[in-house]
Amino acid sequence: MDDMRFFHHYMIMAYPHLPDGTDTMWITEIPLLAHEYKFLMHALLSLGASHLCLVTMNGLAPEEMRNYSTMLSHRSLALRGLQQSMDKQAQATPLTASAMPNITRLNAMLATCYALTTQSCHLRDGFMDFVILIRGCARITSHIAALTGLDPYCLPRNVKEVSDPRKNFQPLGNGTSKGLNADPGNPIDIGIKMCDVKLLAESLRLMIPLLQHECHQDYHAALLETTEALQRGEWIDAFNSFQKTYVILCTIDEAAFQNYILPPLRAGGGAETEAEMGKNGMFLVLFIHLTALKVAMYPMFWRVLPERARFPQAIFQQGGWLIDISAQVPPVLHGYAVLPLEVIVRAGDEYGMFKSEPGERLREELIARAEKMRWNGLCYGKYMDIHM
C-alpha cells in the first residue's frame, strides 16, 4: 500500500520539472517505461516518497518520518540498477550498421538519473549525490546524442521539438529579450529584495583575488553575472546566468571535478585530508552563495517554476546541506561564508522556508553556524563586515 501511495504522489505532484517541456512525458511515457525497467520504477517510487515526506513534515524532519527508510530502500535499488545498466553500456561492443542502440534502456537510464537528481534535493545528506548525479544526467544525455544523433538537450524518446525557453519566462517581463513586451528602462517589480542581492554581489567581488582555479572562476562568474542582472532588472538574463552554474558542474573536466569540486571523503582525517579539503573549499563557499541566491530569488522561481516545484519547503533540505558543507570549509575561508548564511536566514524567514518545527531547528543551526564562522573569520582576519 505504501508503494501505491508513493506512486500516486509522484503522479500528482512529485514528478520532475526538468528538462524543460517534459511535464507530460513524466506522467505518461515515463511511468510506462518504468514497467519495463525496475530501476526506473524504484526511482519514481523513491522520489514520490521523499517528496511526500517533505510536504507533510510537521513536528518531524523528513528523515524522522515513518516512510523514510522505505524511500531509502527504493533509492538504493534505483542507484544499483542504474549503475549496473551503465556498466553494461560501457562494456557494449561498438555499434555496427546492424546493431542499433537500445534507445528504450538509454531513456530509462536518463529518466532514472533525472529522478534521482531531483530527489537528492529532498535529502539532508543529498549534496554529494546531487553534484555527482547532475553530471550523470549530462553524460547519459551526451551518450544518447552521440549514438543516435538526436537532440542532446531533451529526453529523445518523446520530445520532438525543443520549445523556446523564454515562453516559460513570460511572467518575468525581461525587457532585454526579444518578443517580450516590457519596458527595458522600467522592469517590473517581481518582489526580490535587492538589498540582499547587493550584499551577495559585494561578497562575491571580495572573493575575486582568491580564485585560483578555472572551474572556480567560471562558477564565480556565473554567480556574479546573476547578481548584476538582477540589479539591472534583467530577469531572464539573471535566470539564465543562474542556470549556468549547473552547466558548469556538468561540463568541467573530470580531473577538475574530482580535485576542486567534489568534497573529499574524511574517513582517515589528518593533514592529508585537510589539504584535500582546502582544494575544494572555495567551491563550497561559492555553493553557499548559490544557495543564498536561490533563496533570495524565490519570488522569481515562484513565477517561473510549476506549482509543484515552488513551495518554500522545497529548498529546506538544501539549507540543511549548508550545515555539513560549512563544516568542511577551511577556517581561513570562514569569513566569506557568513554573509550568505545570514541572507538565507533573513530571506528564508520572509518566504516561509522555516515554517515548521524542523525548519525552526534548521534556522537556529544556520544562525549558530554563521556566528561561529564569523568568529573564526575574525581570528583569521578574513571577516567582511559588509553594509549597504
Side-chain angles (χ1 to χ4, degrees):
M1 292 298 292
D2 281 343
D3 284 354
M4 292 181 65
R5 186 168 174 234
F6 300 156
F7 190 73
H8 176 259
H9 187 75
Y10 163 83
M11 291 292 290
I12 62 172
M13 67 180 303
Y15 55 95
H17 62 278
L18 295 173
D20 288 333
T22 59
D23 277 12
T24 299
M25 177 176 34
W26 280 111
I27 56 175
T28 55
E29 298 291 339
I30 297 303
L32 289 175
L33 194 59
H35 287 289
E36 299 180 48
Y37 297 96
K38 288 184 178 180
F39 59 86
L40 175 56
M41 180 60 80
H42 285 301
L44 302 188
L45 292 173
S46 183
L47 176 57
S50 63
H51 192 279
L52 183 62
C53 287
L54 199 59
V55 299
T56 58
M57 68 177 182
N58 188 10
L60 297 176
E63 55 270 19
E64 298 170 334
M65 298 179 71
R66 179 179 65 85
N67 295 326
Y68 198 79
S69 60
T70 307
M71 178 276 295
L72 288 179
S73 177
H74 281 302
R75 181 174 175 82
S76 176
L77 291 169
L79 286 166
R80 185 188 308 167
L82 177 61
Q83 185 62 59
Q84 290 172 348
S85 290
M86 293 179 73
D87 291 343
K88 289 180 181 178
Q89 192 65 37
Q91 296 167 5
T93 56
L95 292 178
T96 64
S98 60
M100 291 302 294
N102 185 340
I103 189 65
T104 305
R105 175 174 286 276
L106 289 171
N107 273 282
M109 292 165 58
L110 183 55
T112 299
C113 206
Y114 266 107
L116 293 174
T117 302
T118 301
Q119 189 202 23
S120 296
C121 297
H122 303 165
L123 307 179
R124 175 65 183 258
D125 58 352
F127 172 65
M128 288 272 284
D129 283 355
F130 175 78
V131 295
I132 292 172
L133 285 166
I134 196 172
R135 282 173 66 83
C137 291
R139 287 188 171 189
I140 296 174
T141 301
S142 297
H143 182 65
I144 292 173
L147 289 177
T148 66
L150 296 174
D151 194 305
Y153 297 106
C154 59
L155 292 168
R157 176 184 169 101
N158 302 287
V159 179
K160 301 297 190 296
E161 298 179 359
V162 181
S163 60
D164 183 351
R166 289 182 299 175
K167 290 194 301 184
N168 298 331
F169 304 147
Q170 289 287 353
L172 300 185
N174 186 354
T176 63
S177 296
K178 296 179 180 179
L180 297 179
N181 297 320
D183 178 2
N186 186 28
I188 61 174
D189 180 6
I190 63 173
I192 291 177
K193 301 296 184 184
M194 283 301 152
C195 57
D196 288 335
V197 174
K198 290 177 181 178
L199 289 172
L200 290 170
E202 183 60 25
S203 178
L204 287 165
R205 291 189 187 98
L206 290 172
M207 294 169 63
I208 291 175
L210 305 177
L211 302 170
Q212 299 180 8
H213 305 291
E214 183 179 0
C215 59
H216 295 161
Q217 293 166 356
D218 292 343
Y219 200 85
H220 176 275
L223 292 173
L224 190 56
E225 287 170 8
T226 303
T227 63
E228 292 171 347
L230 287 171
Q231 291 177 79
R232 294 192 301 267
E234 297 171 356
W235 311 127
I236 296 178
D237 293 340
F239 191 93
N240 287 337
S241 293
F242 185 85
Q243 293 287 80
K244 194 186 299 182
T245 61
Y246 299 109
V247 175
I248 291 167
L249 287 181
C250 292
T251 55
I252 61 174
D253 64 81
E254 188 63 23
F257 180 74
Q258 292 289 339
N259 289 324
Y260 302 115
I261 300 295
L262 199 63
L265 298 175
R266 297 192 291 172
E272 183 177 348
T273 301
E274 291 295 324
E276 291 298 315
M277 289 173 62
K279 289 183 179 180
N280 80 320
M282 179 55 66
F283 170 71
L284 298 179
V285 175
L286 290 172
F287 191 87
I288 294 173
H289 280 77
L290 172 85
T291 308
L293 259 179
K294 183 182 291 187
V295 177
M297 292 168 66
Y298 177 74
M300 174 183 290
F301 295 129
W302 190 89
R303 290 167 177 257
V304 172
L305 297 180
E307 184 176 358
R308 68 184 186 279
R310 66 191 187 204
F311 61 100
Q313 294 88 345
I315 200 173
F316 167 79
Q317 295 288 43
Q318 295 167 64
W321 292 356
L322 303 188
I323 302 301
D324 298 327
I325 289 173
S326 58
Q328 299 183 57
V329 173
V332 71
L333 295 177
H334 278 195
Y336 297 93
V338 175
L339 188 141
L341 289 175
E342 292 177 338
V343 168
I344 290 168
V345 171
R346 184 165 56 248
D349 273 340
E350 181 163 354
Y351 302 135
M353 179 177 166
F354 306 117
K355 283 188 176 179
S356 65
E357 289 185 28
E360 284 294 329
R361 293 197 295 269
L362 173 60
R363 181 181 181 277
E364 294 305 314
E365 284 186 271
L366 290 170
I367 291 172
R369 183 54 56 90
E371 285 302 312
K372 181 177 180 180
M373 299 187 87
R374 187 198 314 277
W375 174 252
N376 288 342
L378 288 169
C379 291
Y380 278 86
K382 298 293 184 180
Y383 170 63
M384 294 76 60
D385 189 12
I386 303 172
H387 298 284
M388 291 296 293

